[in-house]
Amino acid sequence: MLKLPEWRTFQEQRVTVYQDDTLFWKFYLVPNYVTIRKDDAGKPVFLLIAYSFGDQDREENPDLPRGGGYMVLDVEMRVDPAHEEVIKQQLQKDVDQMWHELKRLADQSGKSVQGYRINSSHNLPRLSTSVSLGVDDVLLGLGADAPEAPPGDQPPKVVLASPTWVEGTFKVSAPQSEHLVSNRLAEGKTSLVGTNVASANLDLTPAGASFMVQTLVDPDGTGVTDLTPIQITYNLKFVARVPPVSVVASANTRSVYAAVKGIFHDFDDGGCDEDTVSHSEQNMEMAVSSGLVDVKIDVGWPDVPEDLVNQMRSDAMKSVQDALTKRLADKKPPPAPAADDPTREFVNRESDVFYLKTEMSMDFQTFTHKETMASTRKQEINPQGTLQAFLHGLSPQEIRQYVRKIDLDDPFFQTLDLKAWVFGIDWDKDPIDFVEVEIDYRGTDENGQPVTKATTFIFTKDKKEFAWDPSLIGAKREYRCRWRIGYRGHEPSDWSTWEAKASNRLSLSVTPPGKIDVSFKVGDISFDTVTKSVQLEVEYEDSTHGVPKIGTMIKLDAAAAEQRFSHWIFKPRSKPVRYRSTFFLKNGQTIAGEWMETSADTALVNEPRSENRLDVLLVPSGRSWAQVVQSVVTVRYADVRNGVMAEAFYQLKTLEEFKQFAVYVANGGPRKFEYQVVTTFKDGSSEESGWLNGDGDSTVQVAVKEPPELVVDVSPFMLDFGVTPVVEVGLHYEDPANGINESETFALTSKDIQTWSVPLSNPAKKDFKVKYTYNCANGQVVERAEETSPDTKVTVPKLLVPEVVASFVPRMIDFMQTPVVEVNIGYSDPARGQDVQKTFSFIDATPQEFRLQVDAAAPKTYQVEMVYYLADGQIVTHPPVLSNKTQITIPKYVQAA
């Protein structure tokens, strides 16, 4: 199978090469471009027909167009044969080098290449195997039983193959204008075989047909050298093997030990004997969600299947579970069973009984587990490109095989078909009566005589579109145009300059030359912290053309970031617009700027920047402002000698905000300032810093002394909500000396962590009480006595109730011999009407558990029956026996003598 990432990229040949994941001499060539398909004779599969209807046909049918065109083509992904040979030579060098290196390794080991072995193991979902393969099996050939493989005594020859294509579409991007293309079949599915051939066709308008003909064919009839206006995009997917996925799982042994220790106690009147350690996948998932076990997965490649990621997460949990069991507990041999014990054959003599270690004997080093797995995916590629002029170099006679003109009348496309519109005029608001447009069309006819055709369009409020359709002068379509505006109550404007055009769709954007329209926009102005508003004095005067001085006042602020100066002068604008800014600052200062000029239609207004500006940035600092209502910072500046005074007040409520104080000082004036911070807290207290001094451009950190608090996290990850649907956790903190008596009760119904915080008056006193109340599924309510918590991280212990538990461990089973093993469990308590039957099926080494809540006085024994399904189809059932063991190792099937 093809594997990722690519083996080599040949830039000059524009080809990407991938290697096979098993046979190192096998490669897959994928071109990074698309080409026109050629037939067996090497001719491009392409045809363009341009046609025109006659005048008589158009007169009889007015809806008939003047003509059109039709284009059909095939495209494919094919590596040029010459390029393929170059690529193959380089790949053969790669194969030779790899083969000799493998043979060198075999020789160094003192063994023949054929006898050199590679041991490997594979762990996959529901399957664990260990195999031994020879070098020749994997890399150098499969031996005599597979004659198609290369020999093992010399480097193999390069084999080229096609990827396994599974999905594919294509799209042809020709001109999109409806004036060029009227209909298209230019996208669809690819063949997914061979070179992924795709076929497309386009119906062209008269202009589109002429466009394509002139693009592909020179006036002398030969093929052009430029690129074609046709672009192809493929969207393909092929099957590939991706790099392996890596998983790293780690656990803090100390934290897990503290959590497990909480469940090691006797249940009151429960009849339990000695405690055992029992970890399940559910418990491990709880540990992961609570943060006790950290699992990180590096997929190494996008779109790794979710089921593979989940399998690796499960394997990591099992490994961490086994490792933590060895770290936390001691394994001791079980007591010898009695001679008449019917379950003695199921007891694992290796021992699976664990006892929790003491803290003195614990090794609290962090445990880490690493693993990798491989997978396959659908890899997407998008080869694309502009088709080259595949007709280049062909003679006029050869071109006629691919591009044909069908003249149904002469001359070809004989009318100009010009339509015109104007834009930019507000007929309801602007003092404009009309827009006059002149068209001048000149050329030389078929007899060599000069010909001139002209017309005038008058656009008004009620007439906004004109059409002109003269016969073509020869084949020429170029013309020129100009316009002028008729003002209401004034002389028309001057004519615009002549503009050359070639399109038969003339859209004129008319900007009235007799109007001043300048937009003033806010640039670098801080309305949040420095500037309150800006006043602009704007004026325009052109005495040369008889325009007297006109002006206005404009205000810019946070609510109005753009204002316009608009005025009709009915003359061309020949002078710049003058404006002057006055800034009103939040500190009470007023800064007047100098007169400025602009000839543009937009002007940006910025705050004045100079060396005389003093900037002070106020930034909150500290760990947290959770108990802060606000900090009020007062900043003031005083220069009595030069008469510059400024003062401003700022509110800070969170760590994320900041404020800025700015003042423009006099030349040579002082740059010292004063500031004061007054902070109020949610408990009603406050603090005042007094007046502090600063000098020059500064960043002032506004730090507050936040009251201390007690923060408690309640973690319910150990709870079994099937047994206890609702668990109440009561928290109580008391500090009589400071008059604090706070309590909170959480009703836990999910694994979400709950947080409780209490303000402290005495930071040294952080002890608090905790009480657990368990509401059981059978209606029973169990309360534990209130106790002092040793830590602010409260892990709620699981309620241990009387139950029958049996954990079945299939580690001894040979699943090649017995692919399926069933364990049938039966429990009966006639006195209380309880009768439970359950069957467990084992197809891999994953343990399974039977758990049943019972009455304290109920029997603790159960009946177990084992059924083996052999690989040859036989079914062997062991007689049922009674047992009270909490863990049974399922024995391997042994055929009777």
Side-chain angles (χ1 to χ4, degrees), residues 710-716 719 721 725-732 742-750 752-758 768-775 792 794 796:
L710 171 67
V711 179
V712 178
D713 291 330
V714 179
S715 301
L719 294 176
F721 289 105
V726 181
V727 179
E728 299 176 16
V729 180
L731 305 174
H732 182 207
E742 298 286 341
S743 62
E744 181 69 49
T745 299
F746 295 104
L748 304 179
T749 60
S750 67
D752 297 333
I753 296 177
Q754 305 294 327
T755 302
W756 179 55
S757 61
V758 178
F768 63 95
K769 304 286 184 132
V770 59
K771 180 179 180 180
Y772 306 111
T773 303
Y774 300 88
N775 297 277
T792 57
V794 177
V796 184

Side-chain angles (χ1 to χ4, degrees), residues 50-52 405-412:
Y51 58 89
S52 65
K405 284 185 179 181
I406 301 177
D407 295 329
L408 303 181
D409 198 4
D410 190 27
F412 196 71

Side-chain angles (χ1 to χ4, degrees), residues 123-125 245-250 280-291 293-299 304-322 367 369-373:
N123 293 304
L124 302 174
V245 180
S246 300
V247 61
V248 178
S250 63
S280 66
E281 289 188 7
Q282 182 180 5
N283 290 336
M284 292 307 298
E285 291 176 0
M286 296 176 185
V288 172
S289 63
S290 65
V293 178
D294 183 30
V295 177
K296 298 179 179 178
I297 295 180
D298 180 11
V299 298
V304 173
E306 185 66 24
D307 56 348
L308 178 62
V309 177
N310 291 336
Q311 177 65 33
M312 296 204 64
R313 182 184 296 274
S314 176
D315 292 344
M317 288 180 179
K318 292 177 184 177
S319 298
V320 175
Q321 172 184 337
D322 294 340
F367 169 78
H369 165 78
K370 298 181 179 179
E371 188 174 352
T372 58
M373 292 186 71

Side-chain angles (χ1 to χ4, degrees), residues 682-730:
K682 293 181 180 179
D683 61 1
S685 63
S686 64
E687 65 177 7
E688 181 177 334
S689 68
W691 285 100
L692 305 173
N693 295 321
D695 189 1
D697 293 342
S698 308
T699 298
V700 174
Q701 293 189 351
V702 181
V704 298
K705 184 179 180 182
E706 189 175 8
E709 61 179 348
L710 171 67
V711 179
V712 178
D713 291 330
V714 179
S715 301
F717 75 92
M718 297 296 294
L719 294 176
D720 184 353
F721 289 105
V723 177
T724 54
V726 181
V727 179
E728 299 176 16
V729 180

Side-chain angles (χ1 to χ4, degrees), residues 6 22 49 248 352 357 365 371 379 444 558 626 661 788 794 818:
E6 65 268 18
T22 303
I49 299 175
V248 178
D352 276 332
K357 294 180 180 179
Q365 293 183 356
E371 188 174 352
Q379 175 67 11
T444 302
F661 171 81
T788 300
V794 177
T818 53

